[in-house]
Amino acid sequence: MGKDKKRVGILTAGGDCPGINAAIRGVGKTAIVKYGMEIVGISNGFSGLVDMDVNLMEEKALSGIITVGGTILGTSRLKPFKRSAGEEDADMPKIIKENYEKLGLDAIVCIGGNGTQKTANLLSKEGLNVVGIPKTIDNDVWGTDVTFGFDSAVGIATDAIDRLHTTANSHKRVMVIELMGHHTGWISLYSGIAAGGDVILLPELEYDLDHVAECLMARNRVGKPYSIVVVAEGIEHPKKKSAASYIGKKIQKMTGLETRETILGYIQRGGSPSAQDRILATRYGAHAADLIHRGEFGTMVSIKNDTITSVPLEEVGGKLRLVNPDHYLIQQGRSMGVCFGT
Amino acid sequence: MGKDKKRVGILTAGGDCPGINAAIRGVGKTAIVKYGMEIVGISNGFSGLVDMDVNLMEEKALSGIITVGGTILGTSRLKPFKRSAGEEDADMPKIIKENYEKLGLDAIVCIGGNGTQKTANLLSKEGLNVVGIPKTIDNDVWGTDVTFGFDSAVGIATDAIDRLHTTANSHKRVMVIELMGHHTGWISLYSGIAAGGDVILLPELEYDLDHVAECLMARNRVGKPYSIVVVAEGIEHPKKKSAASYIGKKIQKMTGLETRETILGYIQRGGSPSAQDRILATRYGAHAADLIHRGEFGTMVSIKNDTITSVPLEEVGGKLRLVNPDHYLIQQGRSMGVCFGT
Amino acid sequence: MGKDKKRVGILTAGGDCPGINAAIRGVGKTAIVKYGMEIVGISNGFSGLVDMDVNLMEEKALSGIITVGGTILGTSRLKPFKRSAGEEDADMPKIIKENYEKLGLDAIVCIGGNGTQKTANLLSKEGLNVVGIPKTIDNDVWGTDVTFGFDSAVGIATDAIDRLHTTANSHKRVMVIELMGHHTGWISLYSGIAAGGDVILLPELEYDLDHVAECLMARNRVGKPYSIVVVAEGIEHPKKKSAASYIGKKIQKMTGLETRETILGYIQRGGSPSAQDRILATRYGAHAADLIHRGEFGTMVSIKNDTITSVPLEEVGGKLRLVNPDHYLIQQGRSMGVCFGT
Amino acid sequence: MGKDKKRVGILTAGGDCPGINAAIRGVGKTAIVKYGMEIVGISNGFSGLVDMDVNLMEEKALSGIITVGGTILGTSRLKPFKRSAGEEDADMPKIIKENYEKLGLDAIVCIGGNGTQKTANLLSKEGLNVVGIPKTIDNDVWGTDVTFGFDSAVGIATDAIDRLHTTANSHKRVMVIELMGHHTGWISLYSGIAAGGDVILLPELEYDLDHVAECLMARNRVGKPYSIVVVAEGIEHPKKKSAASYIGKKIQKMTGLETRETILGYIQRGGSPSAQDRILATRYGAHAADLIHRGEFGTMVSIKNDTITSVPLEEVGGKLRLVNPDHYLIQQGRSMGVCFGT
């Protein structure tokens, strides 16, 4: 590829989520229209930088993608700084640096979750001009108030719990629904409150099954015909079972109430992004282009108090943003009678 | 309750599904407005007839319920003709007959699936004036072309598979999704075709895992980046695992392709009914009122070739309507490259 | 383009609707996978045949389009047999015939509404091998029981009316909603019944405003707090106003009830097709490929009693399929208290 | 009604919007569960206080309403401090004060938009203990960063524009869509950006039709096949026409591009609230109960930088929160090529 403009690479790594394409579009349109830069799309995360699977993207390639879920660039979970057994010969960071030079890149945008931002930081320390954009449905990236993908996932989960209400009510059952969140309970907390969950269990909060059972029986005693229990997949439970299955079986045994379980699974991260996620992803993308223009590398775009800003990548890597046990939704939920496990 | 009009009881039994309230409304509005009858709502299926948990319903109680999922009358799985151990004293059919008399009912409408229609037939033989309305998301009631609940479930399942496409494509994975259908594959067939499933496995069709694996590898060889496998919960598999888990693990082992599983679960039967289900349920309900007016008891309303009609209840009970292996969607799917397991 | 297989052109003409891409995919996949044919996509309706704006489509081009609204081929309203003023020199049918030969087409599939099928018939009479596929949200193509696009439009309209219920109820208003349908009231009838409309006015039925006003006042007298009036755009009304505006103003004046109007407009034909429309479009498409294989040209694919078949194109053109005043939904609606204008 | 607890009245006034019921539930559950207060539901806005149309609400009455659009209390536009001609005898503020005493109310929560908060302030000055909760899809209440109803409306509008993309693309048209917003362009700005609108016109920004036409023709020249124009209903235009009709006709005349118009209308404020609106409304409601408990009357609950707080009612009344011409979405939109009219 010949070159007479600043050239910016974009890659997407880690798990996919709604809004990635809106972020790609935000970076690309701002870089092209406002700054006259060139955009190079890198396929399948960091793999594409290793394998040189890249394409020059014109503005036209960015049209119509804001509504599309997943990522048009593809993704992978390759971690170039993590050497697997039997791969000792490949010095991937070195290859990536060489390819970055060969491609004539002036900067690279890494769209991903915690793991991706960690890699982005290491590449930055290797001398590449890196800007990170946080994305995950789990909303657990340290250094920003919110990630895109989260609002869409909360919407899907809320809609699913709404559906459980009708069937739970018809059958007078306890319905247990397990939502995504290995380490954090953001999705469970927000959709649990939004959909009127009666019990909400999060990885950040200890829970006491006797207390949960008592809450459900108390509802039963005052004539409430059914209950909804929302659990994050990462709550403490025996690893042979799913969280939903563990909690559901226990509840049925302890209360005698008919109980059913559902694991919402991968549909939480698919489909067209919500309006708010499209807007957030666009803001992130546009700001990443601004940072590149200003030469502020080694940073990750971030939202603080609804103001766009950035944080140093080295502060971000490896940290998780957990739900604070004093979160206002937990406090307000308790005030309204929601059981959080204790 | 005093009485000077024909009085019709309505109950809903078995699993809930979208459209039941539209059917209740269809019976009730037609009976009240067209025929000047009275409507008695019976709570929680046949239990309500045993416990006399009933209410006179005015037309106003039928307003606004057409959009609501589940059943406003509640449901139960009580089978009055099936004596459980330790219940030998209760002669429920006798109690039901007595209560039917006490309530001054001239007829009773039983909204439910196969099990409910079987009970309805037995009550009819005991001398009660019974009209059945078939309902189930599974679409497997013998004697009618289609049941309400099915279109809504197909819509929800199709939407879920659509979501899996974006995540499967981003990660180049095989996604296995398990849909409801213990004995029949109607939901899997229709939503599998509607959402572009690559492999569709139904309880009615034998499948060969070697063939399935070969289909998936063939897709991989021609550069198709991912595949969607739709399985009905009732396909043959070891009962210790879910169908999705069994198929997913096998596929991953046999093909080496990264595979993930999702079980859609109870959300398939929740939420507001689709427009088509509301219309179908309304037609069924209105026709049930017509049958009562004409004294055609011992019947179940039915759709044949988009024409409303009825069938004798005694022909219905205990039979399942299976997917014919020559079903046009299977034939056309095969012509277009869909793998049905052989 | 070189040629050693049967080659089939596909074009889409007239107004767009959800499901067209599913039909293109149905034709294409069946033709390629089952019959080993080649597919040529013709852009922008009959214009593309005049301008030779065409592309060979491989099977890969058909992947992922089943969920996409609109038409990937584009459409136009060009009527090659209708000579406009100032165009007397262009003998478009002759050009189309020549280009059909040049492209080496063995057959052409024309996806469109009534106007398109009329043109398809004329091209057939000119000697081209033509198969028609009916499509329109209006459901008014003669010769088939149902067209794809209709179920999606009914779903969107039903969802819109559902939304009006909440605002109408909060404000105790009469809400008038105008739905598409210049000549026929299919969308208004189906979504009006599905969403519990209180008054439904169709182009096929005369209406008496005094009667409509009396219906609304009668509802008011028995304490029903609001009413929903569904009107098709094509009902008789002064052409300077929209149907909604005309009816709404009259109702407010005649009844004194606070009345508001909404015209749903173009969103009725946009977005991803419903599961049923995808299935119907797939069936139509697959059957069109079968007809081409069997050499049954000059035909339009058709559904009769849920059985796929075909009708001669010459029987179709220029005729509209109207709602029968005795339609079962009208009869049942009347029985349940719906006002149809008289 | 006898009394031994603090008693709180709740009313909803002005236009309805999604989330009102969630706010009622938030006030009610917190007041009952946390503070042991009593809740009195007042029907139809301030009218219910004049006519004494009130009901004691138990906690059970609050179950299941979080998902329901509109307001279960009903609303009206009665302004008790605005004397209409012919009503000079009724001193409504006096009647309201007397009824407030008769009902034994300790406080009253007024849920509504700008007009309602103005009335709330006047009642507060008359000595009533008033707490306001802002609500409107228009997002234009002064004193808070965001109102519930807005996120739902943006979601509906974004979905509608998404649908227009498919039809605009199929027909190569300019589609003009008019969204709600008499004085402010919040909905148009957010959904215009979220759905990839090409031109966005807001009441807060002057626009130059020549510039708009040039933007559309420039898109046409570079081969972009269609354009989406989003206009708020309140942009400057001749009052005989709708904004959409005025802009659409002008564009078609000035550019020669085929143009179509849609007015989205009342469906923007109907239906089940989004997850975010349910959460926001719940926060507002719970905080209103806290304010009552603490005796902080004459206040309106408010969100500033995602922190719940309150503002004096007298600062709120009669002011509109406008879109700042330097709003970050406008700046970023311009950087990405969106036309805002100049």
Side-chain angles (χ1 to χ4, degrees), chain D residues 319-330:
Chain D
K319 293 184 213 156
L320 277 177
R321 202 173 69 91
L322 301 177
V323 177
N324 188 319
D326 294 327
H327 191 283
Y328 57 79
L329 286 185
I330 297 175

Side-chain angles (χ1 to χ4, degrees), chain A residues 332, chain D residues 23 26-27 108-113 117 120 130-135 141-148 279-292 294 296-304 307-313 316:
Chain A
Q332 289 189 348
Chain D
V27 177
I108 186 166
V109 176
C110 299
I111 304 177
Q117 302 310 327
V130 182
V131 171
I133 297 180
K135 68 105 254 261
V141 177
W142 195 92
T144 189
D145 287 355
V146 63
T147 54
F148 60 82
I279 287 170
L280 179 58
T282 300
R283 287 180 76 184
Y284 275 156
H287 193 61
D290 289 343
L291 291 175
I292 290 168
R294 303 197 307 238
E296 300 184 15
F297 301 116
T299 51
M300 183 186 81
V301 297
S302 151
I303 294 277
K304 296 275 175 73
T307 301
I308 193 94
T309 180
S310 63
V311 291
L313 271 171
V316 174

Side-chain angles (χ1 to χ4, degrees), chain C residues 16 75 167 170-171 260 266, chain D residues 16 71 75 167 170-171 260 266:
Chain C
D16 72 308
T75 182
T167 194
S170 299
H171 288 276
R260 292 287 184 280
Y266 286 93
Chain D
D16 71 309
T71 162
T75 183
T167 193
S170 299
H171 288 277
R260 291 287 184 280
Y266 286 93

Side-chain angles (χ1 to χ4, degrees), chain C residues 3 10 28 40 59 78 92 100 144 147 161 226 239 241:
Chain C
K3 179 184 171 178
I10 308 180
V40 174
E59 198 208 339
L78 178 80
M92 278 195 278
Y100 179 91
T144 187
T147 55
I161 304 173
Y226 70 96
K239 292 305 168 196
K241 292 187 172 185

Side-chain angles (χ1 to χ4, degrees), chain C residues 239-259:
Chain C
K239 292 305 168 196
K240 285 190 183 167
K241 292 187 172 185
S242 67
S245 177
Y246 172 69
I247 296 291
K249 303 291 180 282
K250 284 282 186 188
I251 284 174
Q252 178 146 336
K253 204 170 167 186
M254 293 167 79
T255 65
L257 300 170
E258 195 184 344
T259 303

Side-chain angles (χ1 to χ4, degrees), chain B residues 31 181 252 287 342:
Chain B
Q252 178 146 335
H287 194 62
T342 53

Side-chain angles (χ1 to χ4, degrees), chain D residues 136-213:
Chain D
T136 165
I137 62 166
D138 292 331
N139 202 32
D140 62 0
V141 177
W142 195 92
T144 189
D145 287 355
V146 63
T147 54
F148 60 82
F150 176 59
D151 185 63
S152 302
V154 168
I156 296 167
T158 299
D159 180 63
I161 304 174
D162 284 356
R163 291 184 190 280
L164 293 185
H165 275 278
T166 59
T167 193
N169 192 17
S170 299
H171 288 277
K172 319 302 176 206
R173 281 174 178 159
V174 177
M175 299 296 294
V176 180
I177 181 164
E178 176 181 320
L179 302 178
M180 282 186 163
H182 278 297
H183 305 293
T184 62
W186 292 104
I187 295 175
S188 295
L189 176 59
Y190 275 71
S191 56
I193 292 292
D198 303 300
V199 177
I200 301 174
L201 303 182
L202 314 178
E204 291 90 341
L205 300 176
E206 295 197 355
Y207 65 91
D208 172 358
L209 271 177
D210 288 324
H211 183 76
V212 171

Side-chain angles (χ1 to χ4, degrees), chain D residues 21-70:
Chain D
N21 291 326
I24 294 170
R25 178 178 173 275
V27 177
K29 285 215 165 188
T30 308
I32 293 169
V33 175
K34 186 175 180 186
Y35 297 120
M37 300 170 178
E38 274 181 354
I39 294 296
V40 174
I42 298 160
S43 298
N44 305 322
F46 295 104
S47 303
L49 263 183
V50 175
D51 309 338
M52 287 291 263
D53 188 354
V54 300
N55 280 291
L56 209 57
M57 294 176 80
E58 296 190 40
E59 198 209 338
K60 204 177 282 186
L62 304 168
S63 285
I65 67 171
I66 196 172
T67 63
V68 180

